[in-house]
Amino acid sequence: MPNAKVLSEKQAVVAQLAEKMKNATSGVLVDYKGITVEEDTKLRSELRKANVEYTVVKNTLVRFAANQIGFEELDGVLHGTTAMAVSMDDPTAPARLLAEFAKSHDKYFNIKAGFLEGKVVDIATVESLAAIPPKDILLSTVLGTMMAPVAALARVLQAVADKKSEGGEAAPAAEAEAQA
């Protein structure tokens, strides 16, 4: 039987894991067996840039933490080597970065499962999350779409102003186009 100090340390780790999993926007569990130190360092660097926390975790501790917060579905994947990547702000970042890494290292780096906003998700859902572009690209696309009509109006108004300055009067067609 473990002594009280070791037991309390493990309980603290389980509580931290449970809190991290509960508060995370998303997370992904992977089997990392066989990757080199160089590959792991590169992966960790990419994850840090995206504000994703990546840690190697003991299956037993993750199982206890997952059961505390209602993620019992993870029990089936908690075997072998396990690492967990969690993001507190971007729900697609862990899935996107780990799926990209797994494509080039598919012989020995595999996604096990994930969780998204308080629910356990399967590998297919993690892969579909990975296909979503990063948040900043999505925001710039939406902003570009919203700005297109305003930019078109500005071009038409500028064309009308240019014609008035050139010929004194704007052509009736240009005025009709500006009113439309």
Side-chain angles (χ1 to χ4, degrees), residues 143-157:
L143 184 60
T145 303
M146 289 172 34
M147 293 300 295
V150 174
L153 176 63
R155 284 192 297 274
V156 168
L157 292 175

Side-chain angles (χ1 to χ4, degrees), residues 20-96:
K20 188 184 303 183
M21 292 169 73
K22 182 179 169 185
N23 294 331
T25 305
S26 68
V28 177
L29 297 172
V30 295
D31 181 357
Y32 65 91
K33 187 181 213 173
I35 66 171
T36 65
V37 171
E38 182 181 330
E39 292 167 334
D40 186 56
T41 303
K42 184 178 176 185
L43 173 63
R44 286 175 185 266
S45 173
E46 290 297 316
L47 291 166
R48 262 191 306 276
K49 287 178 190 174
N51 201 23
V52 174
E53 188 178 330
Y54 179 79
T55 54
V56 173
V57 291
K58 291 189 174 225
N59 290 323
T60 306
L61 299 178
V62 174
R63 184 174 290 113
F64 282 127
N67 289 338
Q68 276 185 10
I69 60 172
F71 287 3
E72 291 86 5
E73 298 96 328
L74 292 177
D75 283 353
V77 299
L78 293 174
H79 51 80
T81 57
T82 303
M84 180 172 63
V86 295
S87 175
M88 299 301 176
D89 53 359
D90 185 358
T92 64
R96 187 178 63 254

